[in-house]
Amino acid sequence: MSPRDRVVCVGNAALDRTYALKGPAHLATSNPAILRPSFGGVARNVAENLGRLGVAVALVTQVGDDAGGRALRDDCAKNGVDVSGVIVTSAHPTAEYVAIVDPAGELVIGASTTAAIDALSVALLGAAFDEDARTAWTFADCTLPGPVLAALLEDRRAGGPPLAIDAVSIAKTERLPSDLRGLDLLFLNEDEARALLGAGAPDDAADLARAVRQRGATAVVLTRGARGTIVAEGSATTEIAVVPATPIDVTGAGDALIAGTLFGLLRGDELADAVRTGTRMAKLTIESPATVSRTLTRAALA
Protein backbone atom coordinates (compact mmCIF):
# COMPACT_ATOMS: atom_id res chain seq x y z
CA MET A 1 0.00 0.00 0.00
CA SER A 2 1.61 3.24 -1.14
CA PRO A 3 1.56 6.05 1.44
CA ARG A 4 0.66 8.36 -1.44
CA ASP A 5 -2.56 6.49 -2.15
CA ARG A 6 -5.20 8.30 -0.13
CA VAL A 7 -8.94 7.77 0.10
CA VAL A 8 -11.25 10.79 -0.06
CA CYS A 9 -14.54 10.30 1.83
CA VAL A 10 -17.31 12.66 0.74
CA GLY A 11 -20.64 12.94 2.51
CA ASN A 12 -22.21 13.04 5.93
CA ALA A 13 -20.48 13.92 9.18
CA ALA A 14 -22.77 14.11 12.18
CA LEU A 15 -23.15 14.14 15.92
CA ASP A 16 -24.49 10.72 16.94
CA ARG A 17 -26.68 10.14 19.97
CA THR A 18 -27.42 6.49 20.61
CA TYR A 19 -30.02 5.60 23.22
CA ALA A 20 -29.59 2.00 24.38
CA LEU A 21 -32.89 0.74 25.80
CA LYS A 22 -32.73 -1.05 29.14
CA GLY A 23 -35.61 -3.33 28.18
CA PRO A 24 -37.93 -4.18 25.28
CA ALA A 25 -39.07 -1.23 23.18
CA HIS A 26 -42.54 0.13 23.92
CA LEU A 27 -43.87 2.53 21.30
CA ALA A 28 -45.82 5.72 22.07
CA THR A 29 -44.40 5.96 25.60
CA SER A 30 -41.17 6.76 27.41
CA ASN A 31 -38.50 4.03 27.60
CA PRO A 32 -35.60 3.92 30.10
CA ALA A 33 -32.31 4.14 28.22
CA ILE A 34 -28.59 4.89 28.46
CA LEU A 35 -27.23 7.70 26.27
CA ARG A 36 -24.02 7.08 24.33
CA PRO A 37 -22.96 10.21 22.40
CA SER A 38 -20.34 9.92 19.66
CA PHE A 39 -19.48 11.21 16.22
CA GLY A 40 -21.04 9.66 13.13
CA GLY A 41 -22.14 10.07 9.54
CA VAL A 42 -21.32 7.42 6.95
CA ALA A 43 -18.47 9.26 5.21
CA ARG A 44 -17.00 10.36 8.54
CA ASN A 45 -17.23 6.85 10.00
CA VAL A 46 -15.53 5.30 6.97
CA ALA A 47 -12.81 7.95 7.16
CA GLU A 48 -12.15 7.35 10.87
CA ASN A 49 -12.00 3.57 10.40
CA LEU A 50 -9.41 4.04 7.64
CA GLY A 51 -7.48 6.61 9.66
CA ARG A 52 -7.22 4.21 12.59
CA LEU A 53 -5.72 1.67 10.19
CA GLY A 54 -3.07 4.15 9.10
CA VAL A 55 -4.51 4.81 5.63
CA ALA A 56 -4.03 8.30 4.20
CA VAL A 57 -7.61 9.57 4.24
CA ALA A 58 -9.33 12.92 3.80
CA LEU A 59 -12.88 13.95 4.72
CA VAL A 60 -14.85 16.36 2.53
CA THR A 61 -18.10 17.50 4.12
CA GLN A 62 -19.82 20.50 5.71
CA VAL A 63 -20.35 21.16 9.41
CA GLY A 64 -21.86 24.04 11.35
CA ASP A 65 -19.83 26.81 12.91
CA ASP A 66 -20.73 25.41 16.34
CA ALA A 67 -19.21 23.50 19.24
CA GLY A 68 -20.30 20.16 17.77
CA GLY A 69 -18.67 20.88 14.42
CA ARG A 70 -15.42 21.94 16.05
CA ALA A 71 -15.36 18.85 18.27
CA LEU A 72 -16.06 16.61 15.29
CA ARG A 73 -13.18 18.06 13.26
CA ASP A 74 -10.79 17.81 16.21
CA ASP A 75 -11.73 14.18 16.81
CA CYS A 76 -11.24 13.27 13.14
CA ALA A 77 -7.82 14.92 13.06
CA LYS A 78 -6.82 13.10 16.24
CA ASN A 79 -7.65 9.80 14.51
CA GLY A 80 -5.59 10.41 11.40
CA VAL A 81 -8.14 12.05 9.11
CA ASP A 82 -7.21 15.09 7.00
CA VAL A 83 -9.96 17.66 7.70
CA SER A 84 -8.64 20.47 5.52
CA GLY A 85 -11.53 19.78 3.12
CA VAL A 86 -14.24 20.19 5.78
CA ILE A 87 -16.35 23.26 5.01
CA VAL A 88 -17.61 25.31 7.98
CA THR A 89 -20.90 27.16 7.60
CA SER A 90 -22.80 29.53 9.87
CA ALA A 91 -26.02 28.94 7.90
CA HIS A 92 -26.74 25.45 9.26
CA PRO A 93 -25.96 23.46 12.40
CA THR A 94 -23.81 20.33 12.28
CA ALA A 95 -25.86 17.30 11.21
CA GLU A 96 -27.20 15.01 13.93
CA TYR A 97 -28.31 11.38 14.05
CA VAL A 98 -30.32 9.79 16.86
CA ALA A 99 -30.53 5.99 17.13
CA ILE A 100 -32.70 3.94 19.49
CA VAL A 101 -31.29 0.42 19.92
CA ASP A 102 -32.77 -2.52 21.82
CA PRO A 103 -30.92 -4.53 24.50
CA ALA A 104 -29.52 -6.82 21.77
CA GLY A 105 -27.98 -3.82 20.03
CA GLU A 106 -30.38 -3.88 17.07
CA LEU A 107 -31.70 -0.60 15.70
CA VAL A 108 -35.33 0.13 16.65
CA ILE A 109 -35.57 3.49 14.89
CA GLY A 110 -33.19 6.21 13.73
CA ALA A 111 -33.71 9.87 12.85
CA SER A 112 -31.40 12.42 11.27
CA THR A 113 -31.12 16.13 10.53
CA THR A 114 -28.80 16.90 7.63
CA ALA A 115 -29.38 20.50 6.53
CA ALA A 116 -25.63 21.19 6.41
CA ILE A 117 -25.16 18.25 4.03
CA ASP A 118 -28.28 19.03 1.98
CA ALA A 119 -26.83 22.49 1.29
CA LEU A 120 -23.68 21.10 -0.31
CA SER A 121 -23.21 21.96 -3.98
CA VAL A 122 -20.86 20.85 -6.74
CA ALA A 123 -19.09 24.22 -6.54
CA LEU A 124 -18.61 24.03 -2.76
CA LEU A 125 -17.23 20.52 -2.89
CA GLY A 126 -15.05 21.27 -5.89
CA ALA A 127 -13.31 24.01 -3.94
CA ALA A 128 -12.78 21.65 -0.99
CA PHE A 129 -10.89 18.98 -2.95
CA ASP A 130 -7.10 18.98 -2.99
CA GLU A 131 -6.40 18.61 -6.70
CA ASP A 132 -2.66 18.12 -6.14
CA ALA A 133 -3.03 15.00 -3.99
CA ARG A 134 -3.11 11.51 -5.48
CA THR A 135 -6.40 9.74 -4.79
CA ALA A 136 -6.63 5.95 -4.92
CA TRP A 137 -10.38 5.87 -4.18
CA THR A 138 -13.21 8.32 -3.74
CA PHE A 139 -15.99 7.16 -1.42
CA ALA A 140 -19.34 8.95 -1.27
CA ASP A 141 -22.57 8.37 0.60
CA CYS A 142 -26.09 9.08 -0.63
CA THR A 143 -26.70 11.70 2.03
CA LEU A 144 -25.16 13.96 -0.62
CA PRO A 145 -27.58 15.80 -2.93
CA GLY A 146 -28.31 14.07 -6.24
CA PRO A 147 -26.43 16.64 -8.40
CA VAL A 148 -23.27 16.11 -6.33
CA LEU A 149 -23.48 12.32 -6.72
CA ALA A 150 -24.02 12.78 -10.46
CA ALA A 151 -20.97 15.08 -10.68
CA LEU A 152 -18.79 12.53 -8.86
CA LEU A 153 -19.94 9.84 -11.28
CA GLU A 154 -19.22 12.10 -14.25
CA ASP A 155 -15.74 12.78 -12.87
CA ARG A 156 -15.13 9.05 -12.69
CA ARG A 157 -16.33 8.53 -16.26
CA ALA A 158 -13.94 11.29 -17.35
CA GLY A 159 -10.97 9.39 -15.92
CA GLY A 160 -11.14 10.32 -12.24
CA PRO A 161 -10.18 7.93 -9.42
CA PRO A 162 -12.18 4.76 -8.69
CA LEU A 163 -15.53 5.57 -7.06
CA ALA A 164 -17.47 3.69 -4.37
CA ILE A 165 -20.91 4.79 -3.14
CA ASP A 166 -23.08 3.69 -0.22
CA ALA A 167 -26.87 3.93 -0.63
CA VAL A 168 -27.31 4.79 3.12
CA SER A 169 -31.10 4.32 3.35
CA ILE A 170 -34.23 3.42 1.42
CA ALA A 171 -35.22 7.09 1.11
CA LYS A 172 -31.82 8.16 -0.19
CA THR A 173 -31.54 5.54 -2.95
CA GLU A 174 -33.64 7.87 -5.10
CA ARG A 175 -30.62 10.19 -5.24
CA LEU A 176 -28.69 7.62 -7.25
CA PRO A 177 -28.87 8.11 -11.03
CA SER A 178 -30.56 5.30 -12.94
CA ASP A 179 -27.44 4.89 -15.10
CA LEU A 180 -24.60 3.69 -12.85
CA ARG A 181 -22.02 3.15 -15.60
CA GLY A 182 -18.61 4.24 -14.35
CA LEU A 183 -19.39 3.40 -10.71
CA ASP A 184 -16.80 0.90 -9.50
CA LEU A 185 -18.50 -0.30 -6.33
CA LEU A 186 -21.97 0.12 -4.84
CA PHE A 187 -22.79 -0.84 -1.24
CA LEU A 188 -26.45 -1.33 -0.27
CA ASN A 189 -28.75 -3.66 1.63
CA GLU A 190 -31.67 -5.73 0.35
CA ASP A 191 -34.35 -3.13 1.13
CA GLU A 192 -32.31 -0.39 -0.55
CA ALA A 193 -31.76 -2.60 -3.59
CA ARG A 194 -35.49 -3.22 -3.94
CA ALA A 195 -36.18 0.50 -3.59
CA LEU A 196 -33.62 1.20 -6.31
CA LEU A 197 -35.03 -1.40 -8.71
CA GLY A 198 -38.71 -0.70 -8.03
CA ALA A 199 -41.54 -3.01 -9.01
CA GLY A 200 -40.46 -6.41 -10.23
CA ALA A 201 -37.29 -6.62 -8.15
CA PRO A 202 -36.33 -10.28 -7.65
CA ASP A 203 -36.78 -11.98 -4.28
CA ASP A 204 -33.56 -14.00 -4.30
CA ALA A 205 -30.63 -12.03 -2.87
CA ALA A 206 -28.11 -13.13 -5.50
CA ASP A 207 -30.55 -12.26 -8.30
CA LEU A 208 -31.18 -8.93 -6.58
CA ALA A 209 -27.47 -8.12 -6.49
CA ARG A 210 -27.08 -9.08 -10.15
CA ALA A 211 -30.06 -6.92 -11.14
CA VAL A 212 -28.55 -3.90 -9.39
CA ARG A 213 -25.20 -4.53 -11.07
CA GLN A 214 -26.93 -4.52 -14.44
CA ARG A 215 -27.66 -0.82 -13.86
CA GLY A 216 -24.02 -0.32 -14.84
CA ALA A 217 -21.95 -0.60 -11.65
CA THR A 218 -18.83 -2.73 -11.99
CA ALA A 219 -19.51 -4.50 -8.69
CA VAL A 220 -22.20 -4.59 -5.99
CA VAL A 221 -21.88 -5.50 -2.32
CA LEU A 222 -25.32 -6.43 -0.98
CA THR A 223 -25.50 -6.71 2.81
CA ARG A 224 -28.08 -8.87 4.61
CA GLY A 225 -27.28 -8.38 8.29
CA ALA A 226 -26.68 -11.64 10.12
CA ARG A 227 -27.35 -13.61 6.90
CA GLY A 228 -24.12 -12.41 5.35
CA THR A 229 -23.18 -10.47 2.23
CA ILE A 230 -23.54 -11.07 -1.50
CA VAL A 231 -20.83 -9.80 -3.83
CA ALA A 232 -21.83 -9.43 -7.49
CA GLU A 233 -18.97 -8.85 -9.90
CA GLY A 234 -19.06 -9.62 -13.59
CA SER A 235 -21.39 -12.59 -14.11
CA ALA A 236 -20.47 -14.18 -10.76
CA THR A 237 -21.89 -13.83 -7.27
CA THR A 238 -20.13 -14.81 -4.05
CA GLU A 239 -21.79 -15.32 -0.68
CA ILE A 240 -19.74 -14.23 2.32
CA ALA A 241 -20.76 -15.22 5.86
CA VAL A 242 -20.64 -12.84 8.79
CA VAL A 243 -17.99 -13.25 11.46
CA PRO A 244 -19.75 -14.42 14.66
CA ALA A 245 -19.99 -11.62 17.21
CA THR A 246 -21.49 -10.78 20.58
CA PRO A 247 -23.43 -7.60 19.76
CA ILE A 248 -23.33 -4.48 21.89
CA ASP A 249 -24.49 -1.98 19.27
CA VAL A 250 -24.82 -2.53 15.50
CA THR A 251 -24.57 1.19 14.71
CA GLY A 252 -21.66 1.76 12.33
CA ALA A 253 -21.22 -1.90 11.36
CA GLY A 254 -22.04 -1.25 7.71
CA ASP A 255 -19.62 1.67 7.60
CA ALA A 256 -16.90 -0.54 9.07
CA LEU A 257 -17.58 -3.16 6.39
CA ILE A 258 -17.14 -0.48 3.71
CA ALA A 259 -13.89 0.79 5.25
CA GLY A 260 -12.52 -2.73 5.61
CA THR A 261 -13.39 -3.49 1.99
CA LEU A 262 -11.59 -0.36 0.76
CA PHE A 263 -8.62 -1.23 3.00
CA GLY A 264 -8.44 -4.67 1.42
CA LEU A 265 -8.67 -3.25 -2.10
CA LEU A 266 -5.86 -0.81 -1.33
CA ARG A 267 -3.71 -3.81 -0.36
CA GLY A 268 -4.43 -5.38 -3.72
CA ASP A 269 -6.94 -8.00 -2.53
CA GLU A 270 -9.64 -9.36 -4.80
CA LEU A 271 -13.05 -7.87 -4.00
CA ALA A 272 -14.45 -10.95 -2.21
CA ASP A 273 -11.38 -11.15 0.03
CA ALA A 274 -11.58 -7.42 0.68
CA VAL A 275 -15.23 -7.81 1.77
CA ARG A 276 -14.14 -10.59 4.14
CA THR A 277 -11.80 -8.05 5.74
CA GLY A 278 -14.79 -5.74 5.96
CA THR A 279 -16.80 -8.38 7.84
CA ARG A 280 -14.02 -8.62 10.43
CA MET A 281 -14.12 -4.83 10.80
CA ALA A 282 -17.88 -5.03 11.25
CA LYS A 283 -17.44 -7.59 14.04
CA LEU A 284 -15.11 -5.25 15.94
CA THR A 285 -17.67 -2.44 15.62
CA ILE A 286 -20.65 -4.57 16.64
CA GLU A 287 -18.79 -5.61 19.80
CA SER A 288 -18.02 -1.98 20.66
CA PRO A 289 -20.38 0.60 22.21
CA ALA A 290 -18.89 3.25 19.88
CA THR A 291 -19.82 3.91 16.26
CA VAL A 292 -16.18 3.23 15.36
CA SER A 293 -14.31 0.71 17.51
CA ARG A 294 -11.85 2.47 19.80
CA THR A 295 -9.64 -0.63 19.77
CA LEU A 296 -9.34 -0.80 15.97
CA THR A 297 -5.78 -1.24 14.73
CA ARG A 298 -4.20 -3.31 11.96
CA ALA A 299 -3.11 -5.82 14.60
CA ALA A 300 -6.64 -6.10 16.03
CA LEU A 301 -8.04 -6.55 12.52
CA ALA A 302 -5.52 -9.27 11.72
Side-chain angles (χ1 to χ4, degrees):
M1 188 184 302
S2 168
R4 295 179 57 206
D5 286 339
R6 69 171 189 161
V7 177
V8 178
C9 297
V10 193
N12 195 17
L15 307 175
D16 274 8
R17 292 180 171 83
T18 299
Y19 291 85
L21 299 180
K22 294 182 177 180
H26 299 286
L27 301 182
T29 188
S30 178
N31 290 259
I34 298 170
L35 171 62
R36 295 198 294 260
S38 61
F39 300 106
V42 176
R44 195 220 68 86
N45 290 347
V46 171
E48 184 185 337
N49 274 292
L50 290 171
R52 286 179 176 272
L53 292 175
V55 174
V57 59
L59 176 64
V60 178
T61 187
Q62 181 163 254
V63 299
D65 186 12
D66 48 37
R70 288 187 288 274
L72 186 150
R73 281 181 291 149
D74 289 345
D75 186 75
C76 284
K78 180 184 71 177
N79 289 302
V81 179
D82 177 359
V83 294
S84 60
V86 176
I87 304 160
V88 179
T89 177
S90 58
H92 304 286
T94 300
E96 294 193 16
Y97 173 70
V98 174
I100 310 293
V101 299
D102 64 20
E106 295 292 335
L107 181 67
V108 175
I109 192 169
S112 62
T113 59
T114 57
I117 311 302
D118 296 338
L120 284 170
S121 66
V122 175
L124 273 174
L125 284 178
F129 273 86
D130 181 357
E131 297 295 340
D132 295 326
R134 180 171 128 177
T135 300
W137 277 88
T138 301
F139 168 74
D141 68 54
C142 283
T143 309
L144 292 167
V148 173
L149 290 168
L152 290 169
L153 193 53
E154 280 302 315
D155 179 70
R156 173 56 178 143
R157 290 169 178 164
L163 175 64
I165 292 179
D166 179 50
V168 177
S169 69
I170 295 172
K172 291 183 172 60
T173 57
E174 66 183 23
R175 300 183 181 187
L176 285 168
S178 57
D179 182 1
L180 296 175
R181 285 176 298 171
L183 178 60
D184 297 271
L185 187 54
L186 176 62
F187 294 89
L188 75 176
N189 65 27
E190 287 179 288
D191 291 336
E192 292 157 359
R194 292 192 173 94
L196 179 66
L197 294 171
D203 292 327
D204 179 75
D207 290 340
L208 191 61
R210 280 191 288 266
V212 172
R213 202 201 62 74
Q214 287 169 4
R215 289 289 183 96
T218 301
V220 171
V221 176
L222 182 80
T223 58
R224 302 179 298 158
R227 291 180 293 120
T229 301
I230 301 289
V231 177
E233 186 177 21
S235 59
T237 56
T238 305
E239 186 168 348
I240 297 171
V242 299
V243 179
T246 303
I248 294 177
D249 184 352
V250 300
T251 306
D255 307 335
L257 185 143
I258 292 167
T261 299
L262 293 175
F263 179 71
L265 292 172
L266 285 168
R267 291 189 305 191
D269 294 348
E270 296 294 330
L271 178 57
D273 288 334
V275 173
R276 290 184 179 96
T277 298
T279 63
R280 297 200 301 274
M281 290 264 287
K283 167 189 165 63
L284 292 174
T285 299
I286 288 170
E287 295 184 333
S288 164
T291 307
V292 176
S293 172
R294 299 291 182 256
T295 62
L296 176 62
T297 62
R298 291 194 187 196
L301 182 59

